[in-house]
Amino acid sequence: MDETAVLAEFDRQVRQQPQADGVVEREPGIVRVVSAPDGWTGISWADLDGLDVDAVIAAQVARFAGQAWEWKYYSHDRPGDLPARLVAAGFEAGPVEGLLVAEIAALPLDVELPNGVRLVPVVDAGSAELLVRVHDEVFGGDHSRIGVEVLRRPDTVQAVVAMHGERVVCGGRVEFHPGTGFASIWGGGTVAEWRGRGIFRALVAHRAGLARAAGYRYLQLDASADSRPILRRLGFAQLATTTPYVLSG
């Protein structure tokens, strides 16, 4: 995989052409998404070289006035001091994650689950509630929006939960980006007592298989420091890092 070329394609196909429920707006150096309160709102792509960076930042703050939103920064975005300028403008940086990408054809797609664990597709309100429940337990916070989104967008989002009896132990989703070569996976957190048993890897393989069946070439995700070593062993390459810079409304 030509990592430089794939990163450029990811920027062009996914970041510059976001497929969101909200309105996509463009101006020089900026692509932003303005969504309803239950959707993602923020800057999906930025290249501010040659522009008045502080003035562009101030214009985005004014555009999103009154709501919380995110400037999704990637380590190759320009200028290099953009993070410092965002912090100076009042943004708070979230955890740094790795932008990982793999060619699906090179990934292991065999799903090997521990004895007694089964995968259940998220297709109705009951299974969506299980997905939300395991996200809330593993990551904290309220993830009810994810359950709504999965059921609302069945053509572009598919989700699955791992069950042991009636206990939900893991869950995640794959999002398809029509018209591109990329699908992305999200979630995948496993409850504490079931970690280290291969469930995370099995859910990656399952969702990669769904993406392959849908005709996608690449699988992308934002990975925490804990999951990066596992994913690299599976065949993912880290192309950049990404950091959410958040401004409260």
Side-chain angles (χ1 to χ4, degrees), residues 11-177:
D11 281 350
R12 185 180 67 82
Q13 295 184 27
V14 178
R15 297 183 63 202
Q16 295 183 36
Q17 306 292 331
Q19 297 166 3
D21 289 338
V23 176
V24 177
E25 299 178 344
R26 293 178 172 82
E27 61 186 51
I30 288 289
V31 177
R32 61 177 172 253
V33 177
V34 183
S35 297
D38 63 343
W40 186 85
T41 290
I43 304 300
S44 65
W45 175 83
D47 183 353
L48 305 185
D49 255 11
L51 301 175
D52 185 332
V53 178
D54 293 330
V56 173
I57 293 173
Q60 309 317 305
V61 172
R63 174 65 183 88
F64 290 121
Q67 59 185 313
W69 61 285
E70 173 187 333
W71 190 305
K72 192 165 176 60
Y73 167 78
Y74 290 78
S75 54
H76 58 289
D77 289 348
R78 300 179 295 178
D81 66 348
L82 180 56
R85 292 175 182 266
L86 291 172
V87 170
F91 289 79
E92 293 187 5
V96 178
E97 295 183 308
L99 170 65
L100 271 62
V101 178
E103 287 199 74
I104 296 172
L107 292 175
L109 299 184
D110 293 335
V111 177
E112 298 182 9
L113 291 164
N115 290 336
V117 176
R118 68 191 190 280
L119 297 184
V120 177
V122 176
V123 295
D124 54 25
S127 50
E129 194 278 330
L130 293 171
L131 180 69
V132 171
R133 185 191 307 170
V134 73
H135 276 64
D136 288 353
E137 179 175 349
V138 173
F139 301 115
D142 179 2
H143 295 83
S144 56
R145 180 180 66 83
I146 292 174
V148 173
E149 182 178 353
V150 168
L151 298 182
R152 186 174 60 192
R153 298 169 51 200
D155 294 336
T156 56
V157 182
Q158 294 185 33
V160 63
V161 290
M163 303 291 298
H164 181 257
E166 297 305 309
R167 168 75 157 128
V168 57
V169 298
C170 189
R173 67 193 189 278
V174 56
E175 297 194 11
F176 305 134
H177 303 280

